[in-house]
Amino acid sequence: MTNPETIRCLAVDDEPLALQQLAAYIRRVPWLELVAECQSAIETREQLEKEMIDVLFIDINMPDMTGMQLVRSLAAPPLIVFTTAYSEYAVEGYKVDAVDYLLKPFGFDEFRRSAEKVRSRLAASAATRQPAQSMSEPVVAAGHDDTFFFKTEHRMVKVSLSDIRYVEGMSEYVKIYLDNDKPMTVLLAMKRLEERLPANFMRIHRSYIVNLDKVQELNKNRVILDADTFLPIGESYRDQLVKYVEDRFLSK
């Protein structure tokens, strides 16, 4: 979260009255911040590419793409609270690790309980991270050849850049995904790391930097690293990625 005391939300519903009520509920909770109101999956995806979002309050039944389909298509979705008038979706909602499921029509008390669950989930997630390091301490230092040293859990850990698959930005932290090890979470600004990485790393989204050597496939909306790893392409980063591909495109 940008502010540990504020949870940034998107309200998503294709029905204007339902969206208006949902937005009003969000505004009534002092520690929730309504970033935007969206009436379609397309609008929602655009907001996710531009903004850091902690939770989606999202209707399941929408005409262009259902809320469920949208969530399943996201490489790293925020926390999810589904809203719908159809109770049969509840089990499917929990399959995608939704925090809660609100059955329409729901009142403010029900909404508030769901929001409390979101806050508890975020607090639990923050508690699993390493203790905060002093911002004055070195977090990343250059090694020899293709290595960096990252400070994590009060240790300096050497990482080969060729082992980095991609990096996910999480507010003041970055999460570094490696080939043969568990992800490493480091107190470090995404922009600072981007400036230090070599040319084979590219920012493809507000929240992602990818090692281009690991990319197996790409399409209009996402980069594919393997059968289980899909990263979204942000609109403002698309042109440089397209140029990279065009420079290496072979045809007759």
Side-chain angles (χ1 to χ4, degrees):
M1 293 178 286
T2 304
N3 181 336
E5 297 181 355
T6 303
I7 297 173
R8 291 168 58 81
C9 314
L10 286 185
V12 185
D13 201 307
D14 64 308
E15 299 177 8
L17 291 179
L19 181 59
Q20 182 179 353
Q21 181 188 58
L22 180 58
Y25 285 169
I26 292 173
R27 292 189 180 100
R28 286 179 63 181
V29 180
W31 36 268
L32 294 182
E33 177 187 350
L34 180 62
V35 176
E37 301 172 38
C38 304
Q39 289 190 268
S40 70
I42 294 173
E43 288 181 38
T44 304
R45 189 184 292 277
E46 291 173 351
Q47 286 295 326
L48 290 171
E49 290 178 354
K50 294 188 297 183
E51 302 284 352
M52 294 296 289
I53 301 298
D54 298 310
V55 58
L56 285 179
F57 291 94
I58 183 170
D59 183 30
I60 290 181
N61 295 292
M62 294 187 294
D64 55 342
M65 176 187 287
T66 70
M68 192 71 67
Q69 289 171 331
L70 172 63
V71 171
R72 291 184 185 280
S73 74
L74 298 174
L79 296 184
I80 304 296
V81 174
F82 283 119
T83 68
T84 186
Y86 301 94
S87 59
E88 62 266 25
Y89 287 113
V91 173
E92 189 176 0
Y94 287 113
K95 286 182 180 179
V96 296
D97 197 29
V99 175
D100 206 1
Y101 178 94
L102 287 166
L103 185 62
K104 297 178 181 179
F106 54 87
F108 178 70
D109 288 344
E110 293 170 281
F111 173 83
R112 175 84 186 210
R113 283 194 291 271
S114 289
E116 291 285 2
K117 290 180 181 179
V118 169
R119 184 158 68 166
S120 295
R121 178 78 71 88
L122 287 170
S125 176
T128 63
R129 296 175 182 168
Q130 74 274 25
Q133 302 153 346
S134 168
M135 291 300 289
S136 63
E137 294 179 288
V139 186
V140 56
H144 294 291
D145 300 323
D146 70 338
T147 61
F148 274 172
F149 285 89
F150 292 96
K151 186 167 186 179
T152 178
E153 298 177 347
H154 305 291
R155 298 179 297 126
M156 296 295 286
V157 179
K158 185 170 74 171
V159 174
S160 172
L161 296 183
S162 61
D163 289 338
I164 298 176
R165 305 184 71 219
Y166 66 98
V167 178
E168 179 184 5
M170 302 185 301
S171 188
E172 70 270 27
Y173 291 87
V174 294
K175 193 169 186 178
I176 302 168
Y177 292 81
L178 304 168
D179 275 334
N180 299 309
D181 204 351
K182 64 181 181 179
M184 176 186 301
T185 304
V186 180
L187 182 61
L188 178 65
M190 187 83 152
K191 180 67 174 176
R192 184 179 173 193
L193 179 58
E194 181 183 11
E195 291 170 350
R196 299 293 301 277
L197 289 170
N200 60 308
F201 286 83
M202 182 179 291
R203 186 83 168 261
I204 61 167
H205 185 277
R206 179 185 176 92
S207 301
Y208 294 99
I209 297 171
V210 69
N211 184 344
L212 295 167
D213 295 337
K214 308 294 184 180
V215 174
Q216 300 300 315
E217 185 179 338
L218 60 88
N219 57 33
K220 182 179 179 181
N221 297 316
R222 59 187 184 175
V223 164
I224 301 170
L225 276 66
D226 56 47
D228 300 313
T229 309
F230 309 89
L231 304 180
I233 301 171
E235 194 61 41
S236 59
Y237 302 93
R238 188 182 307 279
D239 288 349
Q240 67 171 350
L241 182 58
V242 169
K243 184 178 186 306
Y244 169 83
V245 173
E246 288 178 346
D247 288 347
R248 291 155 181 79
F249 183 73
L250 296 179
S251 61
K252 290 183 179 180

